[in-house]
Amino acid sequence: ETGVTQTPRHLVMGMTNKKSLKCEQHLGHNAMYWYKQSAKKPLELMFVYSLEERVENNSVPSRFSPECPNSSHLFLHLHTLQPEDSALYLCASSQDRASANNEQFFGPGTRLTVL
Amino acid sequence: RKEVEQDPGPFNVPEGATVAFNCTYSNSASQSFFWYRQDCRKEPKLLMSVYSSGNEDGRFTAQLNRASQYISLLIRDSKLSDSATYLCVVNFSYGGSQGNLIFGKGTKLSVKP
């Protein structure tokens, strides 16, 4: 497989559930990102990892917990979510963070619904 | 304040039309600029970078005006397959943070036969 893959593509969960989103990139990139895309809002950056180290957390609630075990994989662990967390969660990767022309490649996203 | 603003549209145009999208950004220290395209229920994909001198890629022309903090995208001879949402994206560096992309809400284009 090539590019950036995400699983699951769709997820419905209750507010008391715990679930995890998975992202894998096959591009040899050093940086990975989690974004949230809600209806009628711009993409919001949630977390940034560079060389497996978290370098930025954009004030995301603690009910979202990222994990980057290696440079190819990124997880987003979810627990006690709220209905307003329903959104499309997009993973992206780029060669590195510091380059000005920093093209990011996105996965297809996980459409999350919290009941 | 970090913002990228776009006209949300939708822009409904006939095939063959020329259409232009505009975008403004608030941070004068922005370093690089892009247009991404997002098809319905798909992920964003890079359409083109935007350079200070302006650049063209086939039917697409991007312009940057740093003084006015303004970016544009011109699509000539539009095709049905151009129907998508076009995202204006700016690379900010601030407070020691670098390499973060800030996205506009997007402008929706619908090209009709």
Side-chain angles (χ1 to χ4, degrees):
Chain A
E1 250 186 297
T2 58
V4 181
T5 58
Q6 288 185 243
T7 55
R9 295 293 306 276
H10 301 271
L11 178 62
V12 179
M13 58 187 289
M15 289 191 283
T16 58
N17 291 159
K18 289 185 180 182
K19 297 285 184 185
S20 295
L21 309 185
K22 179 183 176 182
C23 174
E24 185 173 356
Q25 58 98 358
H26 309 267
L27 301 168
H29 288 167
N30 294 318
M32 296 186 77
Y33 311 79
W34 279 117
Y35 288 90
K36 176 183 178 181
Q37 188 173 36
S38 305
K40 301 194 186 300
K41 295 176 96 174
L43 266 76
E44 301 169 59
L45 180 64
M46 299 175 72
F47 299 104
V48 182
Y49 276 83
S50 179
L51 296 171
E52 301 155 48
E53 179 183 342
R54 187 195 304 184
V55 295
E56 191 146 343
N57 170 355
N58 271 11
S59 302
V60 177
S62 59
R63 59 186 184 267
F64 295 91
S65 175
E67 178 190 359
C68 188
N70 55 61
S71 60
S72 301
H73 292 85
L74 186 63
F75 294 89
L76 188 62
H77 303 299
L78 317 171
H79 64 97
T80 58
L81 294 193
Q82 304 298 312
E84 60 265 28
D85 296 323
S86 299
L88 180 68
Y89 288 85
L90 290 159
C91 173
S93 72
S94 66
Q95 186 59 54
D96 55 57
R97 280 197 72 223
S99 168
N101 286 311
N102 189 17
E103 180 180 358
Q104 293 186 14
F105 294 81
F106 286 83
T110 295
R111 188 159 295 280
L112 173 67
T113 302
V114 182
L115 301 176
Chain B
R1 183 166 165 253
K2 40 176 179 153
E3 267 188 3
V4 176
E5 296 194 45
Q6 298 180 247
D7 181 343
F11 284 57
N12 297 308
V13 303
E15 266 187 298
T18 295
V19 61
F21 304 138
N22 303 319
C23 167
T24 57
Y25 59 94
S26 59
N27 189 326
S28 60
S30 301
Q31 297 177 325
S32 49
F33 310 88
F34 311 89
W35 284 101
Y36 275 69
R37 169 191 170 134
Q38 187 170 21
D39 291 289
C40 187
R41 307 191 79 80
K42 298 279 188 131
E43 71 274 19
K45 292 184 180 178
L46 179 66
L47 177 66
M48 59 197 298
S49 299
V50 186
Y51 302 119
S52 296
S53 55
N55 49 297
E56 191 172 305
D57 183 0
R59 298 181 292 108
F60 298 83
T61 301
Q63 298 276 354
L64 169 64
N65 184 324
R66 284 187 184 269
S68 302
Q69 295 178 203
Y70 170 95
I71 306 159
S72 67
L73 177 68
L74 183 77
I75 304 176
R76 290 181 300 277
D77 187 24
S78 50
K79 312 290 185 192
L80 296 176
S81 56
D82 293 334
S83 297
T85 296
Y86 290 82
L87 306 172
C88 179
V89 185
V90 175
N91 185 328
F92 281 120
S93 291
Y94 61 96
S97 169
Q98 57 182 327
N100 287 350
L101 298 185
I102 306 299
F103 287 77
K105 292 182 182 180
T107 298
K108 186 172 182 180
L109 171 66
S110 182
V111 181
K112 306 291 188 186

